[in-house]
Amino acid sequence: MDLSVTGAKIYFKIPFLFGTEIRITQTTISLLVVTIILITAAYFLGRNLKKRPGRLQVITEKGVTMLYGLVEETMGKHNLKFAPYIGALLLSSFAGSLIGTTQLFRSTTADLSVTLAWALVTSVMVWYSNIKNFGFVAWLKGFTEPVVVMTPMNIVSEIAQPISLAFRHFGNVAGGGVLTSLVYAALAALSNLLFGWLPGLLGSLPFMQAGIPAFLSIYFDLFSGFVQALVFSLLTMVYVGSANPPPEEIPERPKKKAKFNASDI
């Protein structure tokens, strides 16, 4: 049984600054294709909107309404401004997993660099919101709570948040791909063992691969891919929402005193 499970194939490299290089991989191409598909779909679904909508417009409006309702329920009405980001994250994640079913492209979420980039963007949004709403000093002071001894653990927890967020999504999708490859190889070996004695072309046909791998692909690429995209988006909403409480819960920061000017006397 010849089985090889590797990462994304590198197509070519582009020289960059200081001897570094940009690698164009299968994941890069898949990300580009997913981006083009989503932009094209957004353009055609968002143009020529009518007061009496057709079936496609009704479905689109229903999807948008559900998205805003989910954001409002999870993050609060005051955080509806984050709905476009959450929607883009959810669709990019699900489409990135779905594109792997074509066998022409690699699932983008099976690459750690993709999910880690999304997780870092979420963490930066959380840090920025905390500093904006509560101040830089209060943000730093939060690492010492509830007691100063917990400071190292709080710092580790802050660093672990984007890592765990990225590895959860990547691990489920990549693990599903590896498991599917193992089942493919095992069924091919079993098929050769049971039917290899048949003459000619019949002996080389992988009879045992019919049906089962397709079911696994539907589970890992469709169901599991959607679940992981939803979980990733929900955790993002929870993290960003906790850093953006309702306006009445944000303490007023002291205003800077005006400088004294002798000419005002």
Side-chain angles (χ1 to χ4, degrees):
M1 180 173 63
D2 184 17
L3 176 64
S4 177
V5 179
T6 59
K9 180 181 179 181
I10 301 175
Y11 290 126
F12 57 91
K13 303 175 182 178
I14 302 175
F16 199 56
L17 301 175
F18 307 111
T20 59
E21 57 189 17
I22 301 175
R23 299 181 179 182
I24 305 301
T25 67
Q26 289 176 303
T27 305
T28 309
I29 302 301
S30 297
L31 277 172
L32 181 61
V33 172
V34 168
T35 302
I36 292 175
I37 291 175
L38 292 180
I39 291 177
T40 303
Y43 172 75
F44 283 104
L45 292 175
R47 69 171 187 171
N48 298 328
L49 299 180
K50 302 176 181 178
K51 292 184 178 180
R52 292 185 177 181
R55 184 176 303 175
L56 188 59
Q57 183 176 333
V58 170
I59 296 175
T60 303
E61 291 179 352
K62 182 64 176 179
V64 173
T65 302
M66 291 176 60
L67 171 64
Y68 272 79
L70 180 64
V71 173
E72 181 177 353
E73 183 178 350
T74 308
M75 304 178 67
K77 191 173 183 179
H78 60 287
N79 283 322
L80 285 178
K81 60 184 177 182
F82 293 106
Y85 171 71
I86 299 300
L89 189 63
L90 178 63
L91 291 176
S92 297
S93 178
F94 179 58
S97 299
L98 186 62
I99 199 173
T101 61
T102 63
Q103 301 298 321
L104 298 175
F105 302 98
R106 175 184 171 87
S107 295
T108 61
T109 49
D111 197 317
L112 181 59
S113 61
V114 175
T115 56
L116 183 58
W118 292 343
L120 288 175
V121 170
T122 296
S123 295
V124 170
M125 292 176 64
V126 171
W127 298 334
Y128 171 78
S129 298
N130 275 320
I131 295 174
K132 178 183 177 182
N133 293 326
F134 304 102
F136 183 72
V137 176
W139 176 64
L140 290 179
K141 187 179 179 182
F143 290 102
T144 64
E145 297 176 350
V147 289
V148 179
V149 181
M150 294 296 296
T151 300
M153 294 299 297
N154 288 333
I155 295 176
V156 171
S157 176
E158 198 71 19
I159 297 174
Q161 178 178 301
I163 295 177
S164 64
L165 191 62
F167 270 91
R168 180 185 293 106
H169 197 351
F170 157 75
N172 279 276
V173 177
V178 172
L179 181 59
T180 302
S181 299
L182 290 173
V183 172
Y184 260 104
L187 289 176
L190 181 61
S191 181
N192 183 62
L193 179 64
L194 296 178
F195 305 103
W197 55 271
L198 294 175
L201 181 62
L202 291 176
S204 61
L205 292 177
F207 292 101
M208 300 302 296
Q209 287 186 348
I212 297 178
F215 174 78
L216 290 176
S217 180
I218 291 175
Y219 174 79
F220 286 115
D221 293 326
L222 291 180
F223 177 74
S224 181
F226 175 75
V227 170
Q228 292 305 316
L230 183 60
V231 169
F232 193 96
S233 301
L234 285 173
L235 289 175
T236 297
M237 286 188 282
V238 170
Y239 294 149
V240 177
S242 63
N244 291 273
E248 59 271 15
E249 296 182 11
I250 299 177
E252 293 187 4
R253 295 157 64 181
K255 298 180 180 179
K256 294 182 179 180
K257 295 182 179 181
K259 293 183 178 179
F260 177 75
N261 193 336
S263 61
D264 296 334
I265 302 177

